[in-house]
Amino acid sequence: MKQLTTLIFATVMVPWIMSFTVKDEYMEAKKPKIDTVNYDHDGFPQDSGTDQAVARKPNELPTCLLCVCLSGSVYCEEVSPEMTAVPALPKETAYLYARFNKIRKISNRDFADMATLRRIDLTGNSISEIEDGAFLKLPNLEELNLSQNRLTKLPALPTKLHFFDASFNRLKTQGVKATAFKKLTKLAYLYLGNNELTAVPQLPESLHVVYLNNNKISTITDETFCKGNNSYYIRSQLDEVRLNENPINLSENPNSFICLLSLPIGWYK
Ligand SMILES: *[C@@H]1O[C@H](CO)[C@@H](O)[C@H](O)[C@H]1NC(C)=O
Ligand SMILES: *[C@@H]1O[C@H](CO)[C@@H](O)[C@H](O)[C@H]1NC(C)=O
Ligand SMILES: *[C@@H]1O[C@H](CO)[C@@H](O)[C@H](O)[C@H]1NC(C)=O
């Protein structure tokens, strides 16, 4: 019982109390306690903290004062004052929610040495640039949400990715390597709707869902979804393809879908 009380205090009360004392702590430049919370392997904060828990950048408020750090998750949504870069993350962070801020750029340093990260959500920022290696040192990253940003191109993606959402950006076909997704053998959900793509990138066999709606795609071939030379091939995993709002007449390409169990959602005229 005492343990449970301690845990509740550490996970709920401390961030709550800190939210009231942020200003004072900052003004007095005191060393805040929450800064030193460590997470164990189940993602729960441990009592004994060390000072390296948060590598603080100079002149910045510690992440867990700006954001809520709870059980291996860091929540930084609509942070005020404006957050323009990825904050330093506590060790062992598994989930980062940094939606609706003003982050402009993701650099190779931002997620270096964060092998514990499993989900990153950067929806609704102002990201126009991502350094090519930024997500490559994340062997356990399964979900990445970059929707509603200003990207024209994509960086290299880590191989364990299961969900990837880059819808509502400005992606151009020159900025998305044709093979960008091909080697992601776990990728099941791919959302690329509302961009400026003119071609469909190569799609891995593992895909269940692919959204390509509201782009500028004007051609597809027998190889886009199927294997043109093999009429026995069936792509049974892929059960939702969205191609609506593209300058393409899907009834002109009936052979392009013969391997699918259901027709793409789109325009048949
Ligand atoms: C990404 O974020 C948007 C906006 O919150 C949400 O609608 C979408 O489902 C998210 N994508 C994934 C793959 O979770
Ligand atoms: C179809 O084409 C691919 C690549 O061009 C080739 O690797 C494969 O062996 C061909 N399959 C058949 C059944 O001809
Ligand atoms: C779409 O393609 C079909 C089959 O070729 C054709 O009959 C139809 O007129 C086309 N519609 C438009 C709007 O281009």
Side-chain angles (χ1 to χ4, degrees):
M1 197 58 202
K2 182 162 177 287
Q3 254 181 339
L4 184 64
T5 313
T6 309
L7 185 65
I8 289 172
F9 183 79
T11 57
V12 179
M13 295 304 286
V14 173
W16 183 73
I17 292 167
M18 292 314 294
S19 72
F20 289 96
T21 57
V22 159
K23 234 193 190 137
D24 295 341
E25 293 275 6
Y26 185 49
M27 302 304 282
E28 294 163 35
K30 266 194 215 157
K31 190 166 173 8
K33 265 215 177 75
I34 193 79
D35 199 5
T36 63
V37 169
N38 252 344
Y39 296 88
D40 67 22
H41 291 297
D42 298 320
F44 289 102
Q46 293 171 335
D47 293 345
S48 60
T50 65
D51 286 347
Q52 317 97 290
V54 174
R56 217 185 301 173
K57 297 175 189 168
N59 303 322
E60 268 181 27
L61 280 173
T63 301
C64 295
L65 289 183
L66 282 173
C67 308
V68 175
C69 299
L70 210 57
S71 303
S73 298
V74 176
Y75 300 87
C76 308
E77 311 214 342
E78 295 179 83
V79 171
S80 177
E82 273 182 11
M83 177 180 275
T84 55
V86 173
L89 297 174
K91 258 187 190 169
E92 315 278 325
T93 299
Y95 303 98
L96 169 64
Y97 301 90
R99 302 188 296 180
F100 306 109
N101 289 297
K102 295 279 188 309
I103 299 171
R104 290 184 217 125
K105 180 184 169 178
I106 309 290
S107 79
N108 286 342
R109 275 168 304 135
D110 289 337
F111 299 115
D113 305 316
M114 291 301 306
T116 49
L117 270 171
R118 294 171 61 184
R119 181 186 299 157
I120 298 175
D121 192 343
L122 294 164
T123 298
N125 278 279
S126 310
I127 304 166
S128 57
E129 189 189 348
I130 301 180
E131 288 180 358
D132 203 50
F135 298 118
L136 281 185
K137 286 187 184 151
L138 301 172
N140 295 307
L141 192 70
E142 292 168 357
E143 298 181 28
L144 178 57
N145 199 336
L146 299 173
S147 70
Q148 300 174 51
N149 277 287
R150 297 175 186 170
L151 295 169
T152 54
K153 58 183 184 174
L154 290 181
L157 297 170
T159 52
K160 246 198 184 176
L161 220 49
H162 185 68
F163 280 91
F164 180 66
D165 192 340
S167 49
F168 293 94
N169 274 279
R170 300 164 187 179
L171 293 177
K172 297 192 174 24
T173 285
Q174 307 94 281
V176 180
K177 287 197 186 79
T179 55
F181 307 106
K182 191 68 182 176
K183 51 196 180 309
L184 307 183
T185 55
K186 303 246 162 75
L187 190 66
Y189 298 87
L190 177 59
Y191 301 97
L192 296 172
N194 294 276
N195 278 291
E196 297 170 23
L197 300 174
T198 51
V200 179
Q202 291 178 32
L203 305 173
E205 208 63 34
S206 51
L207 271 192
H208 285 264
V209 169
V210 57
Y211 282 24
L212 294 157
N213 53 293
N214 297 74
N215 274 285
K216 297 179 174 171
I217 298 164
S218 57
T219 51
I220 48 174
T221 71
D222 294 353
E223 305 285 335
T224 306
F225 301 104
C226 303
K227 294 181 179 168
N229 61 356
N230 180 355
S231 55
Y232 295 101
Y233 169 69
I234 293 180
R235 189 165 198 145
S236 53
Q237 304 249 52
L238 187 56
D239 46 34
E240 191 176 356
V241 178
R242 289 194 181 216
L243 277 166
N244 48 302
E245 307 303 324
N246 278 290
I248 191 170
N249 179 352
L250 296 181
S251 36
E252 277 174 7
N253 305 279
N255 291 334
S256 300
F257 315 122
I258 48 172
C259 68
L260 301 179
L261 298 181
S262 59
L263 284 172
I265 296 164
W267 214 29
Y268 298 88
K269 277 224 169 159

